Amino acid sequence: PYESLIQIEKVNNLYIYYNLSNAYYRNGNLGKAILNIEKALRLAPRDREIKNNTEYLNTVAGLVRQKSFPDTFVQYFSLNEITAASAVIAILFLTALSLFVIKRKLILKKAAAVSVVFLIICIPLFALKVYNEIAVKEAIVLSASNIRSGPGENNSDIFTIPEGKIVSVVSKNGNWNNIKTESENKSLTGWIENSALGSINA
């Protein structure tokens, strides 16, 4: 029932993703369990239970997620939160500025100035979140797979990627995806079939 809500009804709900993740883990499908908990984490990045489950599933998969401070700070807020905050602050700024032009009160000028400061903070955060979660196409490897040198089974295997690994999708060619992943501080690229990947992007 949860899958039909997502695929047919296009529901984007953290509780559905969270419950799906638990169900897939109980059924031994680690790849899809990680995929759904990552989707839940994007919607509720500060939820302790979701964060704990994400760390646990990555540990079970033998994966280590290393993040820099800027990444951690940006991921502290969800895209929905930053979008709503930016919209509210922009409205407050325009309102304060408009009232200041009409009434010329110092308090309104200060309110507009404070709003500008918050906008300067929110806009780069919003841009980074859009880039990280929409512009950059990320996916989870649903089952351990051999990565090939080109799009097709006739191409040679160049490395193996584990189940649950997060990868960036660079391009597509038919039923194949060109992916990039980080391994031992170096970038690796290759091709994997569509069926072996689950997109994190909403």
Side-chain angles (χ1 to χ4, degrees), residues 84-160:
S86 299
V88 169
I89 293 169
I91 291 169
L92 289 175
F93 166 70
L94 292 173
T95 302
L97 184 63
S98 300
L99 290 173
F100 172 72
V101 170
I102 296 170
K103 298 187 176 182
R104 296 290 176 177
K105 289 187 177 181
L106 183 60
I107 186 70
L108 295 172
K109 184 178 181 180
K110 290 181 178 179
V114 170
S115 299
V116 167
V117 172
F118 280 104
L119 273 178
I120 290 170
I121 295 171
C122 283
I123 290 173
L125 282 176
F126 175 75
L128 279 172
K129 290 295 285 187
V130 169
Y131 176 78
N132 289 338
E133 298 188 7
I134 297 177
V136 175
K137 304 298 181 184
E138 287 190 317
I140 296 291
V141 178
L142 299 179
S143 58
S145 304
N146 291 325
I147 304 303
R148 299 181 182 272
S149 58
E153 294 183 358
N154 57 323
N155 291 285
S156 60
D157 297 335
I158 51 178
F159 63 93
T160 301

